[in-house]
Amino acid sequence: MAIILSAPLLMRLDRSMSSLTIPPPAALLRPLEVPNRYLFGPGPSNVPPRVLAAGGRPIIGHLHPEMYEIMNDIKKGIQYIFQTENNMTISMSGSGHAAMECAVFNTVEPGESVLVAVNGIWGERVAEIAERMGANVHRMVKTPGQLFSNTEIEQAMAKHKPVLFFLTHGESSAGLCHPMDGIGDICQKHNCLFLVDTVASMGAAPIFMDSQKIDILYTGSQKALNSPPGTAPISFNERACDKMFNRKTKPVSYLLDMTHLSNYWGCDGQTVRAYHHTGPVSGFFSLRESLAILAEKDLRLPSVTTIAIPKGYNWRELLVYMMKNHNMEMTGGLGPSIGMVMRIGLMGYNCKKSNADMALHALADALKNCKKSKV
Amino acid sequence: MAIILSAPLLMRLDRSMSSLTIPPPAALLRPLEVPNRYLFGPGPSNVPPRVLAAGGRPIIGHLHPEMYEIMNDIKKGIQYIFQTENNMTISMSGSGHAAMECAVFNTVEPGESVLVAVNGIWGERVAEIAERMGANVHRMVKTPGQLFSNTEIEQAMAKHKPVLFFLTHGESSAGLCHPMDGIGDICQKHNCLFLVDTVASMGAAPIFMDSQKIDILYTGSQKALNSPPGTAPISFNERACDKMFNRKTKPVSYLLDMTHLSNYWGCDGQTVRAYHHTGPVSGFFSLRESLAILAEKDLRLPSVTTIAIPKGYNWRELLVYMMKNHNMEMTGGLGPSIGMVMRIGLMGYNCKKSNADMALHALADALKNCKKSKV
């Protein structure tokens, strides 16, 4: 048996322990402390015990056949919640922002025109992402929470001739659920891809990727899907695949390159899945389980409620009061809606009448006990 | 009480269930099945029950003060295992590849010169990442597992005048643990940043970021650190910060921009941490716990052993035999070392004499029962 052990990795500690100039930190010798919280903000939301248990199971290798089966289940679950037959349907190994960058990086080349509807924070983020990779970005801007008419969208499209149009379905910074009907047809007419962000709305407000002719759709795991943050479903239709797999330049990120990710998820017709990166095995266990819950329930639930801040109150004071006295998270506005609204999220596992009652009770208590200014 | 509920997000299902053209997938109505596996490959490795339990705890918000405390603990733990006092020490919300891209995207601008030592797969990956973002990449290439002398490195540095030099500490595709001493001095002399990949070696082979004058160091969570994949510690020293925070252009990725990530991790001196992306809360719980185990043990362990494939054997057949009959993962080579070696990883939780005995027994059994060709 000619087994040769390579020498270098059998090396022992060749410096004495005295060369450890940084001592073990005392903070890590305390046990991990995590308080119980009602997560009634716009996400993450509380994770059901069943999903937590899935994430806490012993892991297997990211390239084991059983892992591929679990990934196949996830793919089918995403097709279901997105209402799509798209083969090119995967989960990102990252948050919704990774999906956002993946969508832009893969479908746009430097110098191409991108049209972004900005009526809250998410449009602004996509515009910045597209600018950084060298796209020619055109913003349609409205005050937070206002909607864009199909006529306005078509006019801007005719003017700027974009290859990609971005719209947020659930604008969680402002509480708007944007209508989707008819926009896909306008995009097809103008030879433009339609990219929709449903991070805050998927599983809570109805959306139908195929029948609404959405070319690229993504969401996050940690809102109505009820998984821990760290994975993000995304799907591309044939039109999007045609564009992204017939590029002249490589996408700027190797990590987010759909040529590799589609292979990792078994979407590219190859029989062998090559190593690209190490997927979050535990995160995929959780995501699979949260999709299973949706498949079993076969229904969808509402998510983030925005509340105008009552006149004369300091919203920060109200939030601190509820966290301190009710152990409950709600949040303020986000980006352009800061100071305008407070936001309550009751998503998935948290979506129960008793929780809504508890949230209203906490809010009433805060309004009673927090000082009102003389305004 | 002037509370106004925003109408759009209180919308109900405005289409009947009959518009759900994609039915719930039958695969998701089966329970999640995860086999128990001995993960004796180059990673991920088995996760200790204590770390799994931490990852399975109910989550809190990614911006709660208690979460910041946990992140502060993680920062201290990384400083300890990296042996560094660097303030700019964080975990990526992603795998080792996210750290790799983060390091390159933030410290290099388009057109700048980058020198990469390629003696296995990881150098090639960094070269590709740097090329995609527009750097002028120079490769020093050796056959897998060979080392670069300090003289060779200095000569290449004098010739190409790079702003960044990349070297892999634990070349897991070839089984090489590269010496580090003296290279940091050469980099300082040539005004070049020294970037080191320790994904496969951190916690297993000794490394000392500060005393070895390494400017940027990163690793992954899923090898000797014993967490599930999905988080990746990274640290930048003052020299690296000077370069990356005095750029002319913005890094190409918003998600990986250290201006934002340093704020999220409380490293930028600001009192308020703004929302950037949603970190993997459960992944951070696990990472904190795996760092705590290292802090308690105060020692480090060896990781990936490469074994030359015995003549006449089909390595794939050996691996399949051990998986089928011993429920045990080992792997083949990676990238340029495919067909040359098999790789056994006994890391952290798996690093026990009984496991080494079991691995050797399985290997002997495979050699006995797999057909040898007539070579």
Side-chain angles (χ1 to χ4, degrees):
Chain A
M1 262 196 274
I3 297 180
I4 301 153
L5 297 179
S6 67
L9 276 182
L10 292 177
M11 68 190 287
R12 284 165 316 211
L13 273 170
D14 58 356
R15 290 157 188 259
S16 70
M17 294 302 285
S18 64
S19 62
L20 293 179
T21 53
I22 313 292
L28 284 178
L29 305 178
R30 288 188 283 102
L32 171 65
E33 282 175 26
V34 185
N36 281 319
R37 282 278 155 72
Y38 300 105
L39 300 178
F40 292 179
S45 59
N46 290 104
V47 178
R50 172 177 163 186
V51 175
L52 286 174
R57 291 182 68 157
I59 69 168
I60 55 176
H62 59 301
L63 301 177
H64 289 190
E66 295 85 356
M67 195 66 220
Y68 294 155
E69 274 309 302
I70 290 167
M71 291 163 76
N72 289 343
D73 288 356
I74 289 172
K75 177 175 170 171
K76 286 176 198 148
I78 299 171
Q79 287 172 325
Y80 168 61
I81 65 166
F82 282 15
Q83 286 294 297
T84 182
E85 293 182 349
N86 292 340
N87 167 54
M88 197 58 67
T89 299
I90 71 169
S91 168
M92 304 301 301
S93 302
S95 72
H97 274 83
M100 193 184 257
E101 287 206 342
C102 176
V104 174
F105 284 177
N106 281 280
T107 59
V108 182
E109 296 196 67
E112 288 183 333
S113 171
V114 172
L115 181 65
V116 181
V118 180
N119 59 345
I121 195 172
W122 309 114
E124 192 45 55
R125 293 250 162 140
V126 165
E128 168 147 12
I129 286 167
E131 277 170 349
R132 286 183 184 227
M133 54 74 62
N136 187 9
V137 176
H138 303 280
R139 289 170 174 79
M140 301 173 69
V141 182
K142 297 231 175 190
T143 51
Q146 283 207 299
L147 61 79
F148 298 88
S149 72
N150 288 9
T151 310
E152 287 170 324
I153 292 169
E154 180 151 23
Q155 281 168 349
M157 218 169 272
K159 184 174 171 193
H160 299 298
K161 303 189 181 2
V163 298
L164 183 73
F165 170 60
F166 172 84
L167 184 63
T168 309
H169 182 233
E171 198 13 290
S172 66
S173 71
L176 174 74
C177 186
H178 204 289
M180 288 288 133
D181 285 345
I183 303 174
D185 290 305
I186 297 170
C187 288
Q188 290 199 1
K189 182 176 153 194
H190 290 271
N191 198 24
C192 172
L193 295 176
F194 185 25
L195 167 62
V196 176
D197 178 314
T198 63
V199 173
S201 58
M202 179 55 62
I207 197 153
F208 304 87
M209 185 174 188
D210 286 357
S211 66
Q212 290 177 318
K213 298 182 184 166
I214 297 165
D215 297 301
I216 310 144
L217 189 72
Y218 64 84
T219 189
S221 58
Q222 78 277 15
K223 308 223 172 194
L225 294 194
N226 268 186
S227 258
T231 58
I234 189 168
S235 180
F236 300 81
N237 70 5
E238 281 296 327
R239 290 182 76 224
C241 290
D242 279 350
K243 175 84 169 74
M244 76 179 170
F245 293 133
N246 290 291
R247 302 169 57 101
K248 293 183 198 78
T249 59
K250 281 187 186 175
V252 75
S253 168
Y254 175 84
L255 182 61
L256 303 181
D257 189 332
M258 278 300 295
T259 308
H260 298 295
L261 291 175
S262 65
N263 175 265
Y264 178 41
W265 280 84
C267 301
D268 66 349
Q270 303 294 314
T271 48
V272 175
R273 304 193 195 189
Y275 167 70
H276 169 249
H277 74 289
T278 307
V281 173
S282 306
F284 288 156
F285 291 172
S286 296
L287 180 60
R288 192 264 181 210
E289 213 55 9
S290 64
L291 291 166
I293 291 174
L294 277 183
E296 291 161 14
K297 290 215 170 166
D298 204 359
L299 52 75
R300 300 155 175 229
L301 311 158
S303 63
V304 179
T305 305
T306 50
I307 299 182
I309 297 159
K311 268 199 182 144
Y313 282 97
N314 178 328
W315 60 275
R316 288 186 203 273
E317 214 176 289
L318 296 170
L319 295 178
V320 167
Y321 181 89
M322 288 187 284
M323 179 62 96
K324 195 175 159 195
N325 295 285
H326 295 268
N327 226 11
M328 188 183 296
E329 175 189 60
M330 296 182 190
T331 76
L334 182 61
S337 65
I338 289 174
M340 295 168 59
V341 298
M342 284 167 49
R343 300 182 297 153
I344 305 178
L346 292 171
M347 302 193 247
Y349 181 54
N350 283 349
C351 188
K352 296 173 192 152
K353 190 172 175 304
S354 58
N355 279 346
D357 289 344
M358 195 157 66
L360 286 173
H361 168 74
L363 194 56
D365 185 41
L367 288 170
K368 192 172 150 197
N369 286 292
C370 291
K371 224 167 90 183
K372 198 174 169 177
S373 70
K374 284 168 192 164
V375 178
Chain B
M1 260 197 278
I3 296 179
I4 302 152
L5 297 177
S6 66
L9 276 181
L10 292 178
M11 67 190 287
R12 284 166 314 213
L13 274 170
D14 58 355
R15 288 157 190 257
S16 69
M17 294 303 286
S18 66
S19 61
L20 292 179
T21 52
I22 313 293
L28 284 178
L29 304 177
R30 287 188 284 102
L32 171 66
E33 282 176 26
V34 184
N36 280 318
R37 282 278 156 72
Y38 300 105
L39 300 177
F40 292 0
S45 58
N46 291 104
V47 178
R50 173 176 162 186
V51 176
L52 287 174
R57 291 183 69 158
I59 69 168
I60 54 176
H62 60 302
L63 301 178
H64 289 192
E66 295 86 356
M67 195 66 219
Y68 294 155
E69 274 309 301
I70 290 167
M71 291 163 78
N72 289 343
D73 287 356
I74 289 172
K75 178 175 170 173
K76 286 175 198 148
I78 298 171
Q79 286 173 326
Y80 168 61
I81 64 166
F82 282 15
Q83 286 294 295
T84 182
E85 292 182 351
N86 292 339
N87 167 55
M88 198 57 68
T89 300
I90 71 170
S91 167
M92 304 301 301
S93 301
S95 72
H97 273 84
M100 193 184 256
E101 286 206 341
C102 176
V104 174
F105 284 177
N106 282 280
T107 59
V108 181
E109 297 196 66
E112 288 183 332
S113 171
V114 172
L115 181 65
V116 181
V118 180
N119 59 345
I121 194 172
W122 308 114
E124 193 45 58
R125 292 251 162 137
V126 165
E128 169 148 12
I129 286 167
E131 278 171 349
R132 285 183 186 228
M133 55 73 62
N136 186 9
V137 177
H138 304 280
R139 290 171 173 79
M140 301 173 70
V141 182
K142 297 231 175 189
T143 52
Q146 282 208 301
L147 61 79
F148 299 89
S149 72
N150 288 9
T151 310
E152 288 170 323
I153 292 169
E154 180 152 20
Q155 282 169 350
M157 219 169 272
K159 184 174 172 193
H160 299 298
K161 302 190 183 2
V163 298
L164 184 74
F165 171 60
F166 172 85
L167 185 62
T168 309
H169 182 233
E171 201 7 294
S172 66
S173 71
L176 174 73
C177 186
H178 204 290
M180 288 288 133
D181 284 345
I183 303 174
D185 291 305
I186 297 170
C187 288
Q188 291 199 2
K189 183 176 152 194
H190 290 271
N191 199 24
C192 171
L193 295 176
F194 185 25
L195 167 62
V196 176
D197 179 315
T198 63
V199 173
S201 58
M202 180 55 62
I207 198 154
F208 304 86
M209 184 173 189
D210 286 358
S211 65
Q212 291 177 319
K213 297 180 184 168
I214 297 165
D215 298 300
I216 310 143
L217 188 71
Y218 65 83
T219 190
S221 57
Q222 78 277 16
K223 309 225 172 190
L225 293 194
N226 268 187
S227 257
T231 59
I234 188 167
S235 179
F236 299 81
N237 69 6
E238 281 296 325
R239 292 181 76 221
C241 289
D242 280 350
K243 174 86 169 73
M244 77 180 169
F245 294 134
N246 290 290
R247 303 168 56 101
K248 293 183 197 78
T249 59
K250 281 187 186 176
V252 75
S253 168
Y254 176 85
L255 181 60
L256 303 181
D257 188 331
M258 278 300 295
T259 307
H260 298 296
L261 291 174
S262 65
N263 174 265
Y264 178 40
W265 280 83
C267 301
D268 66 349
Q270 303 294 316
T271 47
V272 175
R273 304 193 194 191
Y275 168 70
H276 169 248
H277 74 289
T278 306
V281 173
S282 306
F284 288 155
F285 291 171
S286 296
L287 180 60
R288 193 264 181 209
E289 213 55 9
S290 64
L291 291 167
I293 290 173
L294 278 183
E296 291 161 14
K297 290 215 171 166
D298 204 358
L299 51 75
R300 299 153 175 231
L301 312 160
S303 63
V304 179
T305 304
T306 49
I307 299 181
I309 297 160
K311 268 200 181 143
Y313 282 96
N314 178 328
W315 59 275
R316 289 185 203 273
E317 213 176 290
L318 296 171
L319 294 178
V320 167
Y321 180 89
M322 286 186 286
M323 179 64 95
K324 194 174 160 198
N325 295 283
H326 295 269
N327 226 12
M328 188 182 296
E329 175 189 59
M330 296 181 191
T331 75
L334 181 63
S337 64
I338 289 174
M340 295 169 59
V341 298
M342 284 169 48
R343 299 183 297 152
I344 305 179
L346 292 171
M347 302 193 247
Y349 182 55
N350 282 349
C351 188
K352 296 174 194 153
K353 190 171 177 303
S354 58
N355 280 345
D357 289 344
M358 195 158 66
L360 286 172
H361 168 75
L363 195 56
D365 185 42
L367 289 169
K368 192 173 152 194
N369 286 291
C370 291
K371 225 167 90 182
K372 197 174 169 177
S373 70
K374 284 167 188 164
V375 178

